[in-house]
Amino acid sequence: MNIFDNMEAIYLAIVLAPLTGAIIAGLFGRIVGRNGAHWVTIAGVGIASILSLIAYKHHVFDGAAAYNGAVYTWLSVGNIHFEVGFLVDRLSVTMMVVVTFVSWMIHIYTIGYMHDDLGYQRFFSYMSLFTFFMLMLVMSNNFVQLFFGWEGVGLVSYLLIGFWFKRDKAVFAGLKAFLVNRVGDFGFLLGIAAILMYFNTLDYAEVFQQAPALSTATIEIVAGHDWSLMSFICICLFIGAMGKSAQVPLHVWLPDSMEGPTPISALIHAATMVTAGIFMVARMSPMFELSETALSFVMVIGAVTAISMGLVGLVQNDIKRVIAYSTLSQLGYMTVALGASAYAAAMFHLVTHAFFKALLFLCAGAVIIAMHHEQDMRKMGGLYRYMPITWFTCLIGSLALIGFPGTSGFFSKDAIIEAVYHSNLPVAGFAYYAVLAGVFITALYSFRLFFLTFHGKERLNKHTWEHLHEAPKVITVPLVILAIPSLLAGIFLIGPMLFDGYFMQAIHVASTHDVLAEMGKDYHGVFSFTLHAFKSAPVYLTLAGVVTAWVLYIKFPYMPAILEKRFSLLHKILINKYGFDDFYQVVFARGSREIGRFLWRFGDVRLIDGFFVNGTALTIRWFSSVVRTIQSGYLYDYAFAMILGLLFLLGIFVHGILN
């Protein structure tokens, strides 16, 4: 029997395999033990990865048509159906391969990293569950299932970021991620509600089919002011993406997610949660192409994020936080590409970024283990002598991140910069210079990390130095495996993914916005693309950033302190992360607590308890005290009361007769 005869069964197996592993490790962890927990989850994600490669071959190499079908209908209301369904085309199958493969490598790596942790089985269960929700998100064919996966990854990210729940910082970081994403999800839910209201369906295919007819429709949000319906829907959906993909100003949760164990930092930043927003906008391209307002909004947000978060990365000393701010900046690049209608370029960078960013986080984790959980780069240095494999793989990851010619990041990042240059949106000029400046900034903070960690003077304490050694194979093997696509993936993917109609069935681009088609006229192969890059600014900005890092942190290591003192105001602004965290903490967090305290004081204490509950009791007590005085025990008091009562009744009777 041909394995491709029943693709629906393969798609089901892809999502159910990680879920099964998560259930077994989570509910029966004590029975299967530590070894059983990691083997069952690694097997589940491994099966999903292999089957995803089979699905990839089916759709990409064999040219199969997109699969769009309902697996299960769980509720029908009139013409609206709430279904579990799959849309598997080149867009989703690419995400499936990336998510499952990177997750598989991280699962294997986790055996070594979390070896002594008491929550070992729980951690593997959460990671596998994370993979399941991400697969449900990328494979969905309707907005309900998309929202299910969307909220699922948000829930599990909360559990994983706060995994070490005895640490106050971890609990705070998990709560912060949860609350900030709820802000974005409010906009996302509004967008979905508007789609249901105006399209009367939640199925992707039906919505995309109706979208052109509603491109001129308006919605009245404020009385007397008409808004474009499509712009409203797309901006609302993108607000959801701003939360998930950590775009300014909803970015503040992502750096704090470093409080979770390093494997989950790699999983969140590389292949799962933060890429969900990028994927969602690419999937919704038939709608975004109908609103230049929405595209301009997307481009500006991405450009601001790319340059501002890169600058903050320059002043971080925690090795994981530098990589975290790098993720924010690179997500900004992808978002700018979405705004330029270069959806394929955004997805291309998403794929290459998944490999080299996972590699960098896992390298950081290997260093942290070797340094006995020290994360401050100022206390490292000279580690290349003791950790050659980690050093070499980190070098590859860093070169890919900065877009060094020939690496995977070079092809995807250069494509984005070129696409923005060709965009005709009014804000494209600002975005182009922002991402161009980001090239130098990326090279500077990346090699600042590399030089401070692996080169220069050894700044280790004696205990760390005596026990310093290369990480075990269970950690280094995933590093080597991830280094290969980090180095080579761009060479094989740039032509097909950008210029050969790779996403033609899945992504729609209006002819007036097709910047990649314009770029394709000058594309003559990988070698030509690489040579052409040496005639443009990004390559030289990259080299300038590396040289600057070498001068500041190897040749003249005393210079950063001098520059910090001279530009103290700028340094303080960057250290304070532009004040976003402080502002949110004071205005929203403390403000919410003060509002709650006010409502408690005046609502609960004074109104409910004081007036209604205690007030009622006091009134009854007073009335009782008055009535109680009537019961004197003297016969003449009772006789007097009876006479008064009779006179009162007689008065009523006489009054009734007279009237």
Side-chain angles (χ1 to χ4, degrees), residues 330 333 337 342 345-346 348-349 352 356 400-422 432 435-436 439 494 498-499 516 519 526 528-542:
Q330 297 306 303
Y333 274 85
F348 182 28
H349 196 52
T352 60
F356 63 71
L401 173 59
I402 69 174
F404 190 81
T407 62
S408 61
F410 161 73
F411 294 105
S412 56
K413 186 182 286 187
D414 246 44
I416 290 175
I417 296 170
E418 192 73 14
V420 178
Y421 177 77
H422 283 90
Y432 176 72
V435 295
L436 201 60
V439 173
I494 181 172
L498 295 187
F499 307 118
L516 292 179
M519 291 168 55
V526 172
S528 174
F529 186 91
T530 306
L531 285 180
H532 179 266
F534 283 95
K535 300 178 183 178
S536 57
V539 168
Y540 299 101
L541 287 170
T542 298

Side-chain angles (χ1 to χ4, degrees), residues 642-658:
M642 292 172 62
I643 292 169
L644 287 177
L646 288 171
L647 290 174
F648 177 72
L649 292 174
L650 182 62
I652 293 174
F653 178 73
V654 172
H655 183 269
I657 293 174
L658 294 176

